[in-house]
């Protein structure tokens, strides 16, 4: 006898009582449990694979089902034996009664008939009370599932013995508790973490009342926890500018020292040294400009790391969470609708079964009442027949036959009704069990919706908080950019004004050289006209001045190119300050105003020197006129002394006073 062979048949063969009695019951020594088989095979082959373990578990389940089948078959065998025993006892009595009907009726036979009739009544009562089909009628769940239009399988429903799986959400809760206050940027996210802890605790309370698996919700929350941990451990914005700020401060200090040295050299009249310091100062200012631009580059890189990439991850996390939550809600809603529809169908079939049972019970009671009345009438008529035994013997035999047939029909009706009752009880048990499963499934679907809403609320609040923080970071970065651009404006102003001042002095120097070259050229031309040997000296002087001017032109061109390059470097800062609404005087305009002020001051100096020169010329003219007059007076005196007097006296004639008169 193999249980698997019986399980394989869709329509098992009819089993007789004799064959059931002949079935041997398995002894305790012959039963081998799944665990014992596993241990036995484990001792035989220590290198069992996981597939072997699954096969052993399947074998264990098959053996358990086989044992249950054996027990049910044993119970069915005993119940069938009992039913056959009661039925055979009743039918034997009926056959004996039918035999008595065929004999000659005497007083003794009548008494025997009364005794047998009473015994038949008692046996009928015992049969009606003792007959049963609970073990013979199989509890067919598949049939009831089809009859009740149940779309959901038993495996899809939640079972009362199931336990909720909360390990994943507990891990999420532990992670949130461990994350609080950790990280350089954790302070703005502590409210979000506290809020998430409260929501996850609420989720845990709901899960403990359900039969749900928290893995799908933990999977949704996982990316948010990773993102939240990353942004909480992000470095503050100021940290990335510490080294560039220190470099800028050192360079500014060097520029200030160079400015002081330059001012001291100008004050001492060391123009060559001042010019060298000018170039050194320009190089340091260019280095400072590069450092400031490096700060902008560092800040832009920090913006990518601290804002753009996290905000992109926030959006991706939120979109993915919304998609997964939508799938969870849709799946749960479909499961809930199917369970509600199955529950509605089950209630409808249960109501129909209750109505059918009521009608069948009523019809069976009416049939029993009719049968009882018929039997009473039959008994009454039999008693009447005993008075006219001889005349009505044939009629008595016919009535006995009718009674025998009625008894057989009643037994069949009794068996049919008992089978129907068993079927009804089985159906009631199935309905109660399946109804509880459906209600438990619907309740767990509602709990799943609540957990999903809670997780969605936490994810939305976390993403919104991170996005708000990223906006604050973006604002801080923009403010830092404006500060750095303002700092670069100051650096560019000093650098551009310095090189502009140097350009201005070079241009003035070139103008002076042009005048000297022109003067040397005029002197050379004048010397050449008179064959003056100094013409060569003037020519060499002119060539030296032209070479110096060419050198200054080259230097001035380099300064112009460098100034234009400074302006190109300043354009991003100029654009950023204008966009930020900062008012400032452009260093180019400031240099133009400074140069105009210097030119006006030089014009005033030239006017003052020209006035002094004119006064000196008038003074010199007056002196020359006085000298001329003095020379004329002296010349007149000499002429008068040499000319003879009009009266013919000698030239030596003098006036009485010893003076000569003209």
């Amino acid at each position: 006898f193999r249980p698997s062979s019986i399980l394989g048949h869709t329509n098992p063969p009819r089993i007789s009582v004799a064959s059931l009695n002949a079935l041997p019951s398995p002894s305790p020594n012959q039963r081998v449990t799944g665990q014992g088989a596993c241990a036995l095979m484990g001792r035989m082959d220590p290198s069992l694979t996981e597939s072997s373990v699954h096969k052993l578990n399947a074998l264990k389940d098959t053996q358990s089902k086989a044992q249950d089948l054996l027990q049910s078959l044993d119970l069915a065998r005993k119940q069938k034996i009992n039913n056959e025993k009661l039925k055979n006892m009743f039918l034997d009595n009926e056959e004996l009664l039918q035999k008595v009907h065929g004999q000659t009726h005497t007083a003794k036979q009548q008494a025997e008939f009364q005794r047998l009739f009473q015994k038949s009544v008692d046996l009928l009562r015992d049969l009606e009370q003792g007959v049963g089909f609970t073990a013979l009628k199989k509890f067919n769940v598949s049939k009831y599932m089809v009859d009740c239009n149940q779309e959901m399988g038993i495996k899809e429903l939640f079972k009362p013995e199931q336990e909720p799986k909360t390990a994943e959400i507990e891990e999420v809760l532990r992670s949130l508790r461990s994350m609080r206050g950790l990280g350089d940027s954790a302070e703005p996210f502590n409210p979000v973490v506290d809020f998430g802890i409260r929501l996850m605790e609420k989720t845990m309370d709901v899960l403990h009342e359900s039969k749900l698996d928290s893995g799908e919700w933990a999977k949704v929350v996982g990316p948010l926890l990773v993102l939240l941990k990353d942004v909480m451990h992000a470095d503050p914005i100021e940290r990335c500018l510490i080294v560039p700020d220190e470099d800028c401060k050192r360079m500014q200090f060097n520029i200030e020292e160079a400015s002081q040295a330059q001012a001291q050299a100008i004050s001492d009249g060391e123009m060559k040294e001042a010019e060298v310091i000018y170039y050194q100062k320009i190089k340091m200012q260019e280095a400072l400009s590069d450092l400031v631009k490096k700060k902008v580059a560092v800040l832009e890189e920090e913006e990518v790391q601290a804002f753009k990439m996290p905000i992109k991850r926030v959006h991706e996390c939120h979109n993915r969470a919304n998609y997964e939550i939508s799938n969870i809600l849709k799946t749960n809603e479909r499961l809930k609708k199917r369970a509600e529809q199955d529950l509605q169908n089950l209630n409808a079939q249960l109501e129909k079964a209750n109505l059918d049972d009521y009608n069948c019970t009523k019809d069976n009671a009416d049939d029993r009442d009719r049968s009882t009345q018929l039997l009473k009438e039959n008994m009454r008529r039999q008693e009447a027949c005993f008075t006219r035994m001889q005349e009505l013997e044939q009629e008595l035999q016919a009535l006995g036959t009718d009674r025998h047939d009625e008894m057989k029909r009643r037994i069949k009706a009794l068996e049919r009704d008992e089978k129907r009752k068993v079927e009804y009880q089985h159906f009631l048990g199935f309905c109660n069990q399946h109804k509880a499963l459906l209600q438990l499934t619907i309740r767990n679907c509602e709990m799943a919706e609540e957990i999903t809403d809670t997780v969605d609320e936490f994810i939305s609040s976390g993403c919104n908080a991170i996005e708000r923080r990223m906006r604050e970071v973006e604002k801080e970065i923009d403010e830092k950019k404006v500060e750095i651009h303002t700092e670069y404006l100051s650096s560019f102003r000093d650098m551009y004004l310095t090189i502009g001042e140097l350009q201005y002095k070079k241009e003035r120097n070139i103008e002076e050289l042009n005048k000297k070259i022109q003067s040397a050229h005029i002197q050379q031309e004048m010397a050449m006209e008179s064959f003056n040997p100094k013409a060569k000296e003037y020519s060499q002087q002119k060539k030296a001045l032209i070479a110096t001017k060419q050198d200054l032109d080259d230097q001035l061109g380099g300064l112009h190119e460098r100034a234009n390059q400074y302006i190109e470097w300043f354009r991003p800062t100029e654009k950023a300050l204008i966009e930020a609404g900062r008012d400032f005087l452009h260093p180019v305009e400031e240099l133009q105003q400074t140069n105009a002020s210097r030119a006006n001051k030089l014009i005033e100096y030239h006017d003052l020197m020209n006035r002094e020169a004119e006064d000196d010329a008038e003074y010199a003219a007056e002196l020359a006129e006085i000298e001329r007059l003095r020379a004329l007076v002296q010349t007149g005196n000499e002429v008068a002394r040499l000319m003879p007097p009009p009266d013919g006296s000698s030239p030596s004639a003098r006036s009485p006073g010893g003076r000569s008169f003209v």
Side-chain angles (χ1 to χ4, degrees):
F1 176 72
R2 295 178 62 191
S4 59
S5 63
I6 295 179
L7 292 174
H9 288 293
T10 55
N11 295 319
R14 192 180 303 275
I15 303 175
S16 63
V17 177
S19 62
L20 290 173
N21 290 327
L23 288 175
S25 300
S27 63
N29 296 329
Q30 293 175 345
R31 297 193 183 113
V32 180
T33 62
Q35 185 176 2
C38 292
L40 180 60
M41 294 187 68
R43 290 192 298 270
M44 294 171 60
D45 187 3
S47 60
L48 285 176
T49 61
E50 185 177 357
S51 60
S52 301
V53 175
H54 289 311
K55 291 181 180 179
L56 290 176
N57 292 332
L59 178 61
K60 178 181 177 181
D61 295 338
T62 304
Q63 290 177 347
S64 177
K65 291 180 181 178
Q67 290 178 2
D68 294 339
L69 181 60
L70 287 174
Q71 292 178 0
S72 63
L73 290 175
D74 185 54
L75 181 62
R77 178 177 61 81
K78 292 179 180 179
Q79 193 173 50
K80 189 168 185 178
I81 291 173
N82 183 52
N83 292 342
E84 292 293 333
K85 180 180 179 181
L86 293 173
K87 182 178 178 180
N88 291 334
M89 290 174 64
F90 176 74
L91 291 177
D92 291 342
N93 184 75
E94 286 296 320
E95 289 177 359
L96 183 60
L97 184 62
Q98 188 70 15
K99 183 178 180 181
V100 172
H101 272 288
Q103 296 176 0
T104 304
H105 294 283
T106 60
K108 184 178 179 181
Q109 291 174 347
Q110 186 178 4
E112 182 67 16
F113 178 80
Q114 292 291 342
R115 185 184 65 79
L116 293 175
F117 182 81
Q118 185 61 40
K119 183 178 180 181
S120 178
V121 172
D122 295 337
L123 291 174
L124 178 62
R125 183 178 64 251
D126 294 340
L127 177 62
E128 290 178 345
Q129 294 178 356
V131 70
F133 294 90
T134 55
L136 296 176
K137 294 290 291 183
K138 186 178 180 180
F139 188 76
N140 193 347
V141 178
S142 301
K143 175 179 177 299
Y144 297 143
M145 292 285 288
V146 175
D147 294 340
C148 296
N149 297 325
Q150 298 295 296
E151 296 181 0
M152 297 181 63
I154 298 297
K155 294 181 179 180
E156 298 181 75
L157 302 175
F158 290 96
K159 311 299 187 303
E161 64 272 11
Q162 287 181 347
E163 293 294 334
K165 298 179 180 180
T166 61
E168 290 82 358
I169 291 296
E170 289 177 354
E171 182 64 26
V172 171
L173 186 58
R174 285 194 295 270
S175 299
L176 284 172
R177 288 171 177 167
S178 64
M179 286 167 56
R180 192 184 188 285
L182 294 180
D184 296 331
S185 303
E187 185 65 25
F189 298 101
N190 284 335
V192 178
V193 175
D194 294 337
F195 184 65
I197 292 173
R198 291 195 299 272
L199 291 179
M200 292 300 103
E201 290 175 348
K202 179 181 176 182
T203 302
M204 287 293 299
D205 295 338
V206 177
L207 282 173
H208 284 306
E209 298 177 0
S210 68
K211 309 294 181 183
L212 297 171
D213 186 359
S214 63
E216 53 184 351
W217 294 287
K219 180 181 178 182
V220 175
V221 179
L224 175 62
L225 295 181
V226 175
L227 176 58
L228 196 60
K229 186 176 181 180
D230 291 341
V231 296
M232 290 174 67
H233 286 80
D235 293 335
I237 302 301
E238 295 80 6
R239 187 172 296 176
C240 68
L241 299 176
I242 294 177
V243 176
D245 286 339
E246 292 295 330
D247 295 338
C248 290
K249 290 179 181 179
R250 285 195 295 269
M251 189 57 66
Q252 288 175 352
F253 179 75
N254 295 334
I255 292 172
E256 291 176 0
E257 287 185 342
S259 299
Q260 294 176 1
Q262 177 187 354
Q264 184 65 34
I266 293 173
S267 175
D268 295 340
E270 298 290 341
M271 302 311 295
K272 282 288 184 181
E273 183 180 355
E275 184 177 358
V276 172
I277 295 176
Y278 261 116
Y279 283 104
Q280 294 176 354
K281 184 178 177 182
I282 289 173
K283 289 182 180 179
M284 287 187 289
Q285 288 173 338
E286 289 177 355
L288 178 61
S289 175
D290 293 337
L291 290 175
V292 175
K293 287 191 291 184
K294 182 179 178 182
K295 287 173 62 176
V296 175
V298 169
L299 198 59
E300 290 176 352
E301 182 179 357
E302 183 67 18
E303 181 182 12
V304 173
Q305 298 295 330
F307 171 69
K308 292 183 179 179
M309 293 179 63
I311 202 69
K312 180 180 178 181
R313 292 178 61 191
V314 167
H315 294 162
E316 292 176 353
C317 176
H318 205 171
N319 293 335
R320 184 168 61 252
N322 289 336
Y323 174 75
E324 293 178 356
I325 286 174
S326 176
N327 290 337
I328 293 173
L329 291 175
K330 289 179 182 177
T331 303
N332 191 67
E333 184 65 23
R334 287 195 298 269
L335 181 63
K336 183 179 178 182
K337 287 182 179 179
R338 292 174 63 196
E340 290 175 346
Q341 183 63 38
D342 285 356
L343 182 61
Q344 183 179 357
N345 295 337
L346 184 65
N347 288 330
Q349 292 297 325
L350 179 61
E351 184 178 355
K352 181 181 177 181
N354 289 333
L355 181 60
D356 293 342
D357 178 71
Y358 172 76
N359 294 331
C360 291
T361 303
K362 183 179 178 182
D363 294 340
N364 187 60
D366 294 341
D367 184 71
R368 286 189 180 186
D369 292 341
R370 184 190 61 78
S371 179
T372 301
Q373 293 298 328
L374 183 61
L375 291 174
K376 287 181 180 180
E377 179 64 20
N378 185 274
M379 185 62 187
R380 186 186 63 77
R381 293 176 65 182
Q382 287 187 45
E383 290 177 354
C385 286
F386 275 114
T387 60
R388 44 185 203 282
M389 184 69 69
Q390 297 299 327
E391 300 85 359
L392 302 175
E393 185 174 352
Q394 296 297 327
E395 183 181 359
L396 182 60
Q397 291 179 357
L399 292 173
T401 301
D402 294 340
R403 183 182 182 282
H404 184 72
D405 294 338
E406 178 62 24
M407 286 297 180
K408 289 183 178 180
R409 188 200 65 79
R410 182 164 177 172
I411 290 173
K412 292 181 180 179
L414 175 63
E415 291 178 350
R416 185 171 59 253
D417 184 64
E418 287 298 325
K419 292 178 181 179
R420 182 196 59 78
K421 286 182 179 180
V422 172
E423 183 74 19
Y424 174 66
Q425 292 299 326
H426 287 176
F427 182 72
L428 287 181
F430 164 75
C431 289
N432 293 331
Q433 179 182 358
H434 201 67
K435 184 177 181 180
L437 294 178
L438 290 172
Q439 290 175 347
L440 181 61
T441 301
I442 293 173
R443 183 185 176 196
N444 279 270
C445 290
E446 294 174 352
M447 292 180 178
E449 291 178 359
E450 182 178 358
I451 293 174
T452 303
D453 294 337
T454 303
V455 172
D456 182 38
E457 182 181 1
F458 170 58
I459 290 176
S460 299
S461 62
C463 292
N464 293 332
I466 294 175
E467 185 170 357
R468 285 196 302 271
R469 176 56 184 166
M470 293 302 103
R471 296 300 177 190
E472 294 175 359
V473 171
E474 181 186 20
K475 184 178 179 181
E476 293 178 3
I477 291 174
D478 292 338
E479 292 176 355
K480 286 290 183 182
K481 281 184 177 179
V482 173
E483 292 178 1
I484 293 175
H485 283 303
T486 304
E487 180 182 357
Y488 183 70
L489 170 62
S490 176
S491 174
F492 171 73
R493 177 183 173 277
D494 295 338
M495 182 170 59
Y496 190 78
L497 292 180
T498 300
I499 198 171
E501 182 180 358
L502 187 58
Q503 286 177 352
Y504 179 81
K505 293 184 177 182
K506 294 286 184 180
E507 290 172 353
R508 299 287 80 77
N509 196 355
I510 289 173
E511 291 178 359
E512 293 295 331
L513 285 175
N514 287 331
K515 292 179 181 179
K516 291 181 180 180
I517 291 171
Q518 185 179 4
S519 176
H521 179 70
I522 293 172
Q523 291 176 354
Q524 181 184 0
E525 291 292 332
M526 291 176 63
M528 290 169 62
E529 288 293 331
S530 60
F531 293 103
N532 192 339
K534 289 187 177 182
K536 183 177 181 181
E537 180 182 349
Y538 293 144
S539 175
Q540 293 176 351
Q541 182 181 1
K542 177 183 174 182
K543 291 179 180 180
L545 291 173
I546 291 174
T548 304
K549 177 180 177 295
Q550 184 64 37
D551 186 24
L552 288 176
D553 286 334
D554 294 339
Q555 295 179 11
L556 187 60
L559 293 175
H560 278 297
E561 292 179 358
R562 188 172 293 181
N564 293 330
Q565 187 178 9
Y566 291 167
I567 294 174
E568 290 299 325
W569 291 350
F570 181 68
R571 291 192 188 280
T573 298
E574 179 183 5
K575 181 180 178 181
L577 292 176
I578 291 174
E579 291 177 352
R582 295 293 181 90
D583 296 332
F584 65 93
L585 178 61
H586 200 287
V588 176
E589 297 177 1
E590 185 177 358
L591 179 61
Q592 292 174 355
Q593 295 176 3
T594 303
N595 290 339
S597 176
R598 289 171 178 168
N600 293 331
K601 189 178 292 185
L602 287 176
I603 291 172
E604 293 177 359
Y605 289 160
H606 281 295
D607 292 340
L608 180 60
M609 292 176 67
N610 289 333
R611 285 197 299 270
E612 291 179 354
E614 290 177 357
D615 293 339
D616 292 341
E618 291 177 358
Y619 178 72
E622 291 178 356
L623 290 178
E625 184 66 21
I626 293 172
E627 291 294 333
R628 187 180 64 81
L629 293 176
R630 181 180 297 171
L632 289 176
V633 171
Q634 290 178 356
T635 304
N637 290 334
E638 291 292 333
V639 171
R641 189 168 54 248
L642 295 175
M643 289 180 63
D647 54 358
S649 60
S650 63
S652 60
R654 298 288 181 178
S655 62
R659 293 184 181 180
S660 62
F661 296 93
V662 178

